[in-house]
């Protein structure tokens, strides 16, 4: 622990294990690394099916599965004040010093941050996605984000493009936004001992087959590449609404023996699929930060990707070939990738990735953000209300009203259920086994996955 | 290619780069905001600069169609009051049909004899069908009270005006490229239903047939005729619109003073006030584009 303070962090999001995805992975791995640094981390999310109540995960990570059922796309029903009692209880019981919310799309995160600010806790927010400005959904989302970020202590974005996007959407001053990218578990994603031999080149695609991830681009690109290079085959992993189109494309061009469709690939098997290929193809139409590319690079694959969002910042130029989201350009990029493939050494790429991305580094940088956040001054309700008023002519007054009611409800709750009555959890320090390496932890994560 | 270079204040400090790999950049905090921040942002790239006169000319189409609908309403009112009898209605129908065809002949460049014959045959079938079905329309709403009929008709006409496609025509000449949109189909259906409701209030079968023929002629073919006129010559379009507006205002004046004032106010609002308002609001337009936008596919997805 040294001379830096020990923080007590509450991570809040709708998206956590047993759901799988970028945000879920990020929260889990960041929490594990923060626990290693000696801080206390508690995660709060909503109940998943029967999984409700308190659970403990590897390393003593305590997870509160609050019994609120999700109503739309894994989001809890937004009730504004319904979550205030449970959040207050958790914050007092665990003696939290800082609340860290994840993902702008999560209603639980917004509510938790709002209540935490009312009760005077410091708040950090991490944004994981890019959003537009023009359609109705985005306009609404941006207004909600403006409300939450009007009074946040610090904010974190996963790439520089994401920082520009967040600053424009929420009106935050850029100095308050930190750029801390995701990382990859290089111990789990090791390249194969021997590269797949033979003169066949295998291109791997693993993504959800939806419009946003560019499945339509794949439908145009795959037949063209198969026509130009008779020794290229494709492995497509993942499922989604666009799978039908890919199957149709396969039938139409008679590519059954050259395009293999694996269906949904469980997270534990992603590595084995990746190491069977030489090139990784990513065709997303929008991406704040693409972790799939990192996993592929860690396994020693050369990446071909569309130049969208934060993707150009993710890998050095010699590990990735970028293309415009246009079929002809992507075919050219694949051609270039095939030509530079003999010069790629997977083990060398893996070793470089170990130096470029590390979850411990991410945790240390996040710790710096927490230290800064805790140094922010405490403000009374009236001072904070002036920040909300700046959000807009009508919206500002509405937000102020919402916060005032929240404040009054909090005071009422303090009278009704005084803080002294809430039992405080004693500090249990698990003896950290020095010999346990990181890889064992992450293997434990995978076991957690399979023990659903 | 996205390497943003910062100025070197001191020789030992490395340049800041817009990259996510490599951990914290030495000498820079994670919240360092470089000069190239928001460099890729493009504002108001697709905004059309509008000219007041052009917008007013476009608004004329809207007021012209408004007058056509008002004229139809007038004919309905006169028929329901028995001011217009069947024979005058039938003359009106035939003359409208004739003038419509004349306009089409004069303005359409590629109208062959075959196509004309095709149109005539369709019109003949249409008219016969209406004549045969007239008894059904007559007894359709006998059990519904008149107030309901007036209320529903007015709301349907308002719906029709709101959702109408003013830029083109829902019923297009064969070989047209654009398919009608959902809202234009809804508006057309609303107008047809309104005509049926009005027709069902009339006493004699011939009146029902005549009024249905008139309403459907106008609602189905008037947009096509006005579109042809506009395509042929803009000045002809303006003359036609102004004369139509004058005629409508004169007729409404003889009917009811208050309605005349309302109609005049509405026409002035649509033709003058709305274009001015639109151009004033354009200053507030703030469209943001940048590298964070979702990429648009340049090809059509054919399922």
């Amino acid at each position: 622990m040294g001379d830096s303070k020990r923080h007590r962090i509450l991570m809040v999001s709708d998206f956590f294990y047993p759901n799988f995805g970028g945000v879920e992975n990020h929260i889990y791995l960041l929490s594990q690394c923060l626990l290693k640094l000696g801080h206390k981390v508690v995660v709060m999310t909503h109940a998943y099916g029967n999984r409700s109540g308190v659970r403990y995960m590897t390393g003593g990570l305590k997870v509160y599965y609050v019994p609120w059922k999700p109503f739309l796309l894994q989001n809890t029903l937004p009730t504004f004040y319904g979550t205030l009692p449970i959040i207050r209880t958790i914050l007092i019981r665990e003696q939290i010093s800082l609340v860290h919310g994840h993902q702008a799309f999560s209603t639980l995160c917004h509510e938790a941050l709002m209540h935490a600010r009312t009760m005077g806790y410091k708040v950090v927010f991490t944004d994981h996605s890019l959003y537009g400005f023009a359609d109705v959904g985005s306009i609404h989302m941006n207004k909600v984000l403006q409300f939450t970020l009007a009074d946040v202590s610090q904010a974190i974005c996963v790439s520089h493009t994401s920082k520009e996007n967040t600053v424009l959407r929420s009106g935050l001053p850029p100095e308050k936004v930190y750029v801390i990218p995701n990382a990859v578990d290089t111990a789990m994603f090791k390249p194969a001992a021997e590269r797949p031999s033979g003169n066949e080149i295998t291109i791997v695609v693993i993504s959800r087959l939806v419009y946003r991830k560019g499945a339509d681009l794949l439908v145009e690109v795959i037949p063209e590449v198969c026509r130009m290079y008779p020794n290229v085959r494709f492995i497509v992993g993942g499922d989604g609404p666009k799978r039908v189109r890919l199957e149709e494309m396969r039938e139409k061009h008679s590519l059954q023996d050259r395009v293999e469709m694996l269906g949904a690939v469980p997270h534990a098997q992603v590595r084995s699929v990746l190491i069977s290929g030489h090139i990784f193809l990513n065709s997303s139409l929008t991406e704040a930060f693409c972790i799939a590319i990192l996993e592929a690079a860690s396994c020693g694959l050369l990446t071909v990707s569309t130049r969208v969002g934060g993707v150009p910042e993710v890998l050095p130029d010699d590990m990735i070939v970028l293309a415009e989201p246009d079929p002809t350009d992507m075919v050219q990029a694949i051609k270039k990738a095939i030509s530079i493939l003999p010069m790629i050494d997977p083990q060398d790429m893996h070793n470089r990735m170990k130096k470029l991305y590390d979850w411990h580094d991410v945790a240390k940088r996040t710790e710096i953000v927490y230290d800064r956040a805790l140094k922010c001054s405490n403000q009374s309700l009236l001072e904070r209300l002036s920040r909300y008023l700046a959000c807009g002519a009508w919206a500002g007054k509405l937000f102020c009203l919402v916060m005032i009611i929240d404040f009054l409800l909090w005071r009422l709750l303090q009278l009704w259920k005084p803080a002294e009555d809430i039992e405080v959890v004693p500090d249990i320090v698990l003896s950290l086994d020095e010999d346990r390496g990181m890889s064992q932890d992450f293997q434990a994560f995978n076991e957690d996955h399979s023990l659903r | 290619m996205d390497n943003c270079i910062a100025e070197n204040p001191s020789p030992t400090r490395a340049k800041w780069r817009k990259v996510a790999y490599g951990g914290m950049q030495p000498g820079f905090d994670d919240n360092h905001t470089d000069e190239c921040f928001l460099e890729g942002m493009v504002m108001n790239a697709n905004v059309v600069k509008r000219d007041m006169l052009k917008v007013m000319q476009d608004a004329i189409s809207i007021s012209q169609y408004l007058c056509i609908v008002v004229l139809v309403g007038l004919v309905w009112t006169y028929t329901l009051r028995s001011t217009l009898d069947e024979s005058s209605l039938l003359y009106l129908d035939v003359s409208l049909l004739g003038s419509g065809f004349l306009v089409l002949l004069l303005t359409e460049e590629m109208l062959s004899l075959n196509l004309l014959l095709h149109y005539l045959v369709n019109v003949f079938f249409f008219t016969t069908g209406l004549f045969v079905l007239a008894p059904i329309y007559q007894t359709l709403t006998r059990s519904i009270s008149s107030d309901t009929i007036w209320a529903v008709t007015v709301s349907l006409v308002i719906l029709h005006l709101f959702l109408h496609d003013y830029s083109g025509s829902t019923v297009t000449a064969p070989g047209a490229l654009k398919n009608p949109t959902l809202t234009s189909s809804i508006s057309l259906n609303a107008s047809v239903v309104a005509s049926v409701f009005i027709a069902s209030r009339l006493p004699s079968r011939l009146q029902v047939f005549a009024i249905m023929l008139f309403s459907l002629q106008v609602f189905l073919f008037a947009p096509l005729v006005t579109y042809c006129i506009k395509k042929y010559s803009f000045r002809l379009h303006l003359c036609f619109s102004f004369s139509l507006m004058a005629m409508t205002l004169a007729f409404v004046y003889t009917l009811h003073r208050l309605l005349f004032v309302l109609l005049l106010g509405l026409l002035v609002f649509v033709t003058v006030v709305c274009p001015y308002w639109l151009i004033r609001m354009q200053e507030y337009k703030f469209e943001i584009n940048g590298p964070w936008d979702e990429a648009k596919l340049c090809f059509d997805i054919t399922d």
Side-chain angles (χ1 to χ4, degrees), chain A residues 74-350:
Chain A
Q74 293 301 335
N75 274 318
T76 30
L77 186 70
T79 54
F80 287 100
Y81 307 113
T83 41
L84 179 60
I86 184 78
I87 288 178
R88 175 172 175 263
T89 310
I90 293 177
L91 287 173
I92 294 176
R93 177 163 286 159
E94 303 286 342
Q95 296 173 294
I96 300 290
S97 61
L98 190 136
V99 179
H100 188 165
H102 290 264
Q103 190 61 310
F105 196 57
S106 161
T107 47
L108 188 63
C109 161
H110 287 293
E111 285 190 24
L113 295 187
M114 173 171 90
H115 297 315
R117 279 311 285 154
T118 309
M119 294 189 260
Y121 293 90
K122 299 292 185 291
V123 149
V124 175
F125 175 77
T126 298
D127 199 359
H128 293 261
S129 303
L130 294 175
Y131 287 99
F133 297 91
D135 53 304
V136 179
S138 296
I139 294 174
H140 172 71
M141 176 73 68
N142 293 346
K143 209 65 192 172
V144 170
L145 189 71
Q146 213 183 1
F147 167 67
T148 302
L149 293 189
D151 199 22
V152 77
S153 311
Q154 305 291 348
I156 300 176
C157 286
V158 292
S159 68
H160 297 287
T161 311
S162 180
K163 174 174 172 173
E164 293 179 356
N165 187 240
T166 303
V167 165
L168 279 176
R169 277 160 55 211
S170 62
L172 265 185
E175 299 75 46
K176 253 195 179 176
V177 183
Y178 289 76
V179 176
I180 302 177
N182 288 327
V184 67
D185 173 17
T186 42
M188 183 174 148
F189 289 96
K190 283 202 176 72
E194 268 194 35
R195 220 177 181 181
S197 56
N199 57 354
E200 256 197 350
I201 298 180
T202 307
I203 301 184
V204 179
V205 179
I206 299 185
S207 76
R208 281 182 300 139
L209 300 175
V210 292
Y211 173 78
R212 261 182 120 228
K213 298 287 183 181
D216 298 298
L217 278 172
L218 282 180
V219 171
E220 304 290 323
V221 164
I222 291 180
E224 189 60 31
V225 172
C226 285
R227 192 183 59 84
M228 281 171 66
Y229 293 96
N231 62 335
V232 162
R233 49 186 287 270
F234 280 85
I235 297 181
V236 178
D239 207 347
K242 294 278 178 180
R243 188 174 171 177
V244 178
R245 285 202 77 211
L246 280 165
E247 305 267 8
E248 276 174 7
M249 175 267 302
R250 216 168 142 225
E251 297 287 323
K252 189 170 153 195
H253 296 261
S254 309
L255 294 168
Q256 285 91 342
D257 52 340
R258 297 184 62 188
V259 174
E260 196 183 327
M261 309 270 305
L262 295 176
V265 179
H267 192 79
Q269 291 170 12
V270 167
R271 186 214 166 222
S272 53
V273 175
L274 282 174
I275 58 173
S276 65
H278 302 91
I279 295 178
F280 183 76
L281 178 61
N282 173 50
S283 54
S284 325
L285 298 180
T286 177
E287 224 30 284
F289 185 96
C290 195
I291 300 189
I293 292 179
L294 291 190
E295 291 173 355
S298 179
C299 286
L301 277 80
L302 180 63
T303 309
V304 174
S305 174
T306 43
R307 184 181 289 126
V308 288
V311 171
E313 305 166 24
V314 169
L315 285 178
D317 293 329
D318 53 342
M319 289 163 96
I320 187 170
V321 180
L322 292 169
E324 300 302 321
D326 172 60
T328 14
D329 215 34
M330 286 179 74
V331 170
Q332 290 300 317
I334 294 179
K335 194 167 154 183
K336 182 175 168 199
I338 293 177
S339 66
I340 65 176
L341 194 58
M343 298 181 265
I344 302 290
D345 176 24
Q347 196 56 44
D348 180 53
M349 207 187 250
H350 174 79

Side-chain angles (χ1 to χ4, degrees), chain A residues 130 133 160 163-165 167-168 174-175 177-181 211-212 216-217 220 245 285-286 289 307-309 312-316 325-327 356-357 361 365 372, chain B residues 1-3 16-25 29-33 36-41 286 288-289 291-303:
Chain A
L130 294 175
F133 297 91
H160 297 287
K163 174 174 172 173
E164 293 179 356
N165 187 240
V167 165
L168 279 176
E175 299 75 46
V177 183
Y178 289 76
V179 176
I180 302 177
Y211 173 78
R212 261 182 120 228
D216 298 298
L217 278 172
E220 304 290 323
R245 285 202 77 211
L285 298 180
T286 177
F289 185 96
R307 184 181 289 126
V308 288
E313 305 166 24
V314 169
L315 285 178
D326 172 60
L356 291 177
Y357 283 104
D361 177 56
R365 289 157 81 176
R372 293 268 170 82
Chain B
M1 27 225 119
D2 300 281
N3 288 343
W16 184 86
R17 292 187 308 155
K18 193 177 176 188
V19 291
Y21 51 82
M24 212 155 135
Q25 298 193 32
D29 277 338
D30 278 326
N31 63 343
H32 170 84
T33 312
C36 68
F37 187 66
L38 287 181
E39 206 178 48
M41 180 168 86
F286 184 38
I288 309 174
N289 288 106
W292 48 79
D293 283 333
E294 191 175 293
K296 288 211 177 22
L297 291 176
C298 52
F299 51 89
D300 285 323
I301 301 172
T302 49
D303 267 322

Side-chain angles (χ1 to χ4, degrees), chain A residues 17 51 446-452:
Chain A
Y17 180 84
R51 196 181 173 99
N446 294 329
E447 278 156 24
D448 284 338
H449 290 191
S450 42
L451 278 174
R452 292 172 65 178

